[in-house]
Amino acid sequence: MAQQEQDLASVAAARQILKESLEKSWDLDFAIRETGSRLDQSEQRLASLRSAIGNVASKCALYDVRGHVDRALGPAAAVLRIFDVVHELETSLISADPSSDLRSYLINVQRMEEAVKLLRDSCKLVTLWLEDAVQFLQDKGIEGDLYFLKFKKSLMILQQLQEVEENFGLDGGLLMDAFNQLENEFRRLVTDNSFPPPRPDELEVSPIPPPLSFPDSDIEKMQTIMERLTASNRLDRCLSIYIEVRTSIVTTALQALDLSYLELSLSEFDSVQNLEGCIDQWVKHLQFAVKYLFEMEYRLCYEVFQKAGSDVCMECFAKIVLRSGFQNFIKFANSITRSKKEAIKLLKLLDIFAALDELRLNFNRLFSGKSCFDIQTQTRDLIKGVVDGACELFWELSIQVESQRSSNPPSDGSVPRLVRFVIDYCNILVEDEYKSTLLDVLEIHCSWNNLEFEQGLLSGQVQRILEALELNLQTWAKAYEDTNLSHFFRMNNYWYFCKNVEGTKLGDLMGHDWLRAYEDDMEYYAATYVSESWGKLPALISEEDLVLFPGGRAINHNLVQKRIEEFCNAFEDMYKQQSYWVLSDRGLRLRTCQLIMQSVFPSYKSYIQKYMPLIEYEEDTSKYVKYTPAILESMINSLFQPKVGKYGSTKCTHLATRIKNAVTTHLPSTPAAA
């Protein structure tokens, strides 16, 4: 009796639990009565279960255990009603399309999940109760009865149906199919709103950039889908889909820019100069990628995944950036920092630093999360390489200028390529475009090395570079065996100094006194050159001793002829010697030719006009008068012409063109001054 009472108490407790489950299933049934299902096979088994339970109930009326069977009917009926609800929901989900009515589809998916969960819980309880009831009947000794066997068969059917319910959440199950449908709809929404972004040149032309956001209605749909899938632990699927689609869009946009140069290795180019155009493209493309593409992806990630939290947004954004190939930008710039030392590399490193500095706020905001740790580390390493490399090159410039002092000066007295390069290079360094960047780099480098930064660091180093260049000029000028060529060389170079420094930022830096000193030197050596070379020719046609008798008019014709011949020969030798000398600056060339004309032409013309009429009737003067005044003038004005193609423009904006001709671009080498 005690055992029976205990069993009855257990059954009563189970009955109460099943009664509550039945009431909940009735409420759910009322809310979704309009839906359908595909569980036809289960329906057939349930019909058999209903019949079996009814037969067993009738049979149990014959026994004193009828009360136990009656108490089983309520919970079993609850399970049957839940199956009916699932059957109706299945029909609704199979026939529905989330793209046409997403809200209804999501409601049905949620109800299906709740129904399946309730069914799972109820089946477990009912199965346990029926197992206890079967055991109770066996204890009563009626297990061989036909109705008992049907009762036991019903229990087996219920267990099989429980297995069917458990398959709802497996691959190929109804709920899994519904989730896949939602994921497909999420993909469609992302894809349909993912338009190819414009190229950088299109952004420059169009005053109104394309929209950077998805439509609010579609964002709401995507977020609703994510909420439903998140409840089923499937948020990662939404992230994967979104990252896949958006990475494809960003990658396609970057590939349209022709970024093949990013794959170049150090072994594929001899000089940074060969990559100058690529570096300029790198700056432009990096700005487009960060300011437009990644900015757009950052905003979209936060708009779509904001309800999932900032960590999810940043994780999604970071994966899109990394998978789209952003690290190739960093890799290329790092290759430049590791390339060999040359003067133009300093300017290109400053270009890279300026680009990164301009994007600093964008980098700090876009890549601040822990998901972007790799990007942060690589960017910091790049900046360090750029700063260290630029400062090392800057401090070595004066040393490299000094190292070329032992080279030979140009044989034509022209301005050495080194002089052209250094003057224009210093001009560029102190212009506003590079000066502020270089000062920033120097200040950062000082702070990293615990050194005091002073504004005079830049001007002091530039002055040392020019002082080293001046010592080079003095050394080269002394190397000429021809003192006239030495004077010519000094005049030529000092003119270049004054002409290309005056009125520039470099001129402002060096000061008026510095410029005035070079102007004075230029004037001195110009006068010395003319007087020591061409200025000696008029003495060859002096009028001394030409008159045969004091007070008379008769002249020594032979002496006149001799002096004209000596003058013409000396002029011819001088002309041949200096016809290879070069003054590339047109203003200096005209000025120098004018000085020579003033020194030579008046005396010669006067001499010819005065004495030639007296002797031209006596003999053929062409033997010793090689040049008429007109020819002489023409010859002087033809002097010092630059050789075609030897020199490019002297404007600072064409520095790169001169660097191509300058053997001094490779700083560690010791090139010729010419």
Side-chain angles (χ1 to χ4, degrees):
M1 287 298 292
Q3 180 63 38
Q4 292 181 356
E5 290 178 356
Q6 184 177 358
D7 292 340
L8 290 175
S10 298
V11 170
R15 176 183 176 85
Q16 180 61 31
I17 294 174
L18 290 174
K19 180 179 178 182
E20 295 174 355
S21 298
L22 178 61
E23 292 174 353
K24 185 174 182 180
S25 70
W26 285 342
D27 293 339
L28 180 63
D29 177 53
F30 177 78
I32 56 177
R33 184 168 294 278
E34 299 301 324
T35 60
S37 168
R38 69 181 180 184
L39 298 175
D40 295 335
Q41 182 179 359
S42 299
E43 184 68 17
Q44 294 175 2
R45 292 180 177 178
L46 292 175
S48 176
L49 178 61
R50 291 190 184 95
S51 176
I53 292 176
N55 291 334
V56 172
S58 300
K59 181 67 178 176
C60 287
L62 303 176
Y63 300 95
D64 59 354
V65 294
R66 180 179 177 87
H68 295 287
V69 177
D70 285 338
R71 286 189 292 271
L73 292 178
V79 172
L80 298 179
R81 295 296 297 275
I82 297 172
F83 267 114
D84 289 338
V85 170
V86 172
H87 175 75
E88 295 171 356
L89 285 170
E90 181 190 27
T91 301
S92 176
L93 288 175
I94 291 176
S95 61
D97 181 4
S99 63
S100 59
D101 189 354
L102 179 60
R103 182 175 179 277
S104 297
Y105 193 87
L106 288 169
I107 291 175
N108 287 337
V109 170
Q110 181 179 0
R111 289 175 176 174
M112 174 63 81
E113 286 186 277
E114 293 174 351
V116 169
K117 183 178 183 301
L118 182 59
L119 181 61
R120 181 187 302 116
D121 296 339
S122 298
C123 279
K124 290 178 181 179
L125 290 174
V126 171
T127 300
L128 289 175
W129 191 93
L130 289 178
E131 288 174 348
D132 290 342
V134 168
Q135 185 63 45
F136 181 77
L137 293 175
Q138 288 176 335
D139 293 343
K140 291 296 183 179
I142 59 174
E143 63 267 17
D145 185 84
L146 177 62
Y147 294 104
F148 170 78
L149 294 177
K150 290 183 177 181
F151 192 91
K152 191 172 183 180
K153 182 179 180 181
S154 299
L155 174 60
M156 182 180 65
I157 292 173
L158 187 62
Q159 291 171 337
Q160 292 175 349
L161 291 176
Q162 184 176 351
E163 293 178 0
V164 172
E165 170 273 322
E166 292 175 350
N167 290 331
F168 270 103
L170 301 177
D171 288 339
L174 179 60
L175 273 179
M176 184 61 66
D177 289 342
F179 291 150
N180 290 339
Q181 284 281 76
L182 289 176
E183 291 171 5
N184 291 337
E185 175 62 10
F186 184 84
R187 179 185 293 274
R188 185 193 69 80
L189 289 169
V190 177
T191 303
D192 288 353
N193 288 285
S194 296
F195 303 103
R199 293 171 55 88
D201 51 356
E202 293 175 352
L203 281 176
E204 293 174 0
V205 173
S206 176
I208 303 177
L212 296 176
S213 301
F214 293 153
D216 292 341
S217 58
D218 286 348
I219 291 178
E220 183 179 356
K221 290 178 181 179
M222 285 187 274
Q223 291 176 342
T224 305
I225 292 174
M226 283 190 294
E227 289 177 2
R228 181 73 264 135
L229 294 177
T230 300
S232 302
N233 298 319
R234 294 176 67 89
L235 176 62
D236 59 323
R237 291 290 305 137
C238 293
L239 286 171
S240 297
I241 291 171
Y242 185 89
I243 292 170
E244 175 190 344
V245 174
R246 294 306 305 175
T247 298
S248 175
I249 294 296
V250 176
T251 301
T252 301
L254 291 176
Q255 289 175 345
L257 302 177
D258 186 15
L259 302 178
S260 57
Y261 65 86
L262 295 180
E263 303 298 329
L264 294 174
S265 63
L266 287 174
S267 60
E268 294 182 64
F269 55 90
D270 298 328
S271 168
V272 171
Q273 182 177 318
N274 297 334
L275 284 176
E276 186 177 2
C278 295
I279 296 172
D280 294 340
Q281 285 292 93
W282 179 88
V283 172
K284 181 179 179 181
H285 292 159
L286 180 66
Q287 291 175 341
F288 172 71
V290 174
K291 288 187 175 181
Y292 186 82
L293 290 181
F294 297 149
E295 178 69 33
M296 175 175 64
E297 295 307 317
Y298 181 83
R299 290 183 55 183
L300 291 178
C301 283
Y302 268 88
E303 288 177 354
V304 174
F305 295 100
Q306 58 181 327
K307 292 185 177 180
S310 60
D311 289 344
V312 173
C313 298
M314 286 304 301
E315 178 185 359
C316 180
F317 170 69
K319 289 182 177 179
I320 292 173
V321 172
L322 292 174
R323 294 181 185 180
S324 63
F326 172 71
Q327 289 170 304
N328 290 333
F329 283 95
I330 304 298
K331 178 183 175 183
F332 175 81
N334 274 323
S335 297
I336 303 302
T337 64
R338 295 192 298 270
S339 63
K340 58 187 175 183
K341 297 177 182 179
E342 45 189 339
I344 193 175
K345 178 180 175 181
L346 172 57
L347 301 182
K348 294 297 99 181
L349 288 178
L350 293 178
D351 287 339
I352 292 174
F353 179 86
L356 294 173
D357 189 55
E358 181 181 345
L359 297 172
R360 178 168 48 87
L361 296 179
N362 301 81
F363 269 75
N364 291 341
R365 180 171 52 84
L366 296 178
F367 307 127
S368 60
K370 61 181 180 181
S371 300
C372 297
F373 178 77
D374 288 344
I375 297 176
Q376 298 167 11
T377 301
Q378 294 172 13
T379 304
R380 282 195 296 267
D381 291 343
L382 171 59
I383 293 175
K384 187 177 189 319
V386 170
V387 170
D388 289 343
C391 288
E392 182 180 6
L393 285 167
F394 179 68
W395 294 123
E396 289 183 357
L397 285 175
S398 61
I399 299 174
Q400 296 304 327
V401 172
E402 293 174 9
S403 69
Q404 298 172 64
R405 192 166 297 160
S406 59
S407 59
N408 296 322
S411 60
D412 56 9
S414 61
V415 178
R417 290 174 181 151
L418 176 64
V419 173
R420 295 172 178 273
F421 177 81
V422 170
I423 292 296
D424 294 342
Y425 195 81
C426 290
N427 258 317
I428 289 178
L429 288 180
V430 299
E431 286 289 339
D432 293 338
E433 179 182 359
Y434 282 107
K435 180 180 179 180
S436 59
T437 302
L438 182 54
L439 285 173
D440 289 341
V441 167
L442 292 173
E443 184 174 6
I444 292 172
H445 190 263
C446 288
S447 66
W448 287 351
N449 293 277
N450 297 320
L451 300 174
E452 183 179 356
F453 171 75
E454 298 178 356
Q455 289 290 334
L457 283 178
L458 174 57
S459 59
Q461 177 64 0
V462 170
Q463 289 175 356
R464 283 188 288 273
I465 294 171
L466 294 180
E467 289 171 359
L469 185 61
E470 166 62 20
L471 290 176
N472 285 10
L473 285 175
Q474 294 179 14
T475 302
W476 293 334
K478 294 176 182 178
Y480 289 109
E481 294 181 0
D482 185 346
T483 56
N484 291 329
L485 182 56
S486 176
H487 298 326
F488 180 89
F489 174 77
R490 289 178 184 266
M491 172 195 71
N492 200 357
N493 282 270
Y494 292 152
W495 173 277
Y496 188 88
F497 268 52
C498 298
K499 185 71 178 293
N500 291 277
V501 172
E502 186 176 10
T504 66
K505 296 290 185 180
L506 180 59
D508 295 339
L509 175 69
M510 301 307 296
H512 175 76
D513 292 341
W514 184 89
L515 276 173
R516 175 56 61 186
Y518 273 101
E519 290 175 356
D520 292 343
D521 287 343
M522 189 277 298
E523 294 287 353
Y524 170 78
Y525 285 108
T528 303
Y529 153 69
V530 172
S531 64
E532 293 296 323
S533 57
W534 299 96
K536 292 182 178 181
L537 295 182
L540 297 177
I541 51 175
S542 72
E543 298 184 22
E544 185 178 354
D545 299 330
L546 290 181
V547 179
L548 293 175
F549 305 104
R553 300 183 60 183
I555 62 172
N556 188 337
H557 290 187
N558 292 332
L559 188 58
V560 170
Q561 294 171 2
K562 180 182 178 182
R563 289 180 177 178
I564 292 177
E565 186 176 5
E566 289 177 349
F567 177 91
C568 289
N569 289 337
F571 177 86
E572 184 175 17
D573 291 341
M574 188 78 69
Y575 180 84
K576 287 180 179 180
Q577 180 187 27
Q578 299 192 16
S579 62
Y580 297 100
W581 297 2
V582 172
L583 295 175
S584 57
D585 184 86
R586 183 174 182 273
L588 178 60
R589 186 167 60 251
L590 294 176
R591 184 178 186 275
T592 304
C593 289
Q594 185 179 11
L595 289 175
I596 296 173
M597 284 286 294
Q598 292 173 355
S599 176
V600 176
F601 186 76
S603 299
Y604 182 70
K605 182 179 179 181
S606 175
Y607 196 87
I608 294 297
Q609 289 176 344
K610 184 174 182 179
Y611 294 106
M612 283 302 294
L614 301 177
I615 64 174
E616 61 184 356
Y617 297 109
E618 299 180 7
E619 55 184 296
D620 185 9
T621 59
S622 62
K623 295 179 180 180
Y624 52 88
V625 182
K626 296 182 180 180
Y627 309 111
T628 65
I631 293 176
L632 187 103
E633 181 180 10
S634 177
M635 292 178 68
I636 292 175
N637 288 329
S638 69
L639 285 168
F640 315 128
Q641 296 294 328
K643 297 176 179 63
V644 177
K646 181 170 183 179
Y647 302 104
S649 170
T650 57
K651 294 182 179 179
C652 295
T653 54
H654 294 87
L655 173 65
T657 302
R658 278 195 305 284
I659 292 177
K660 293 178 182 178
N661 298 322
V663 292
T664 59
T665 48
H666 301 290
L667 291 179
S669 62
T670 306

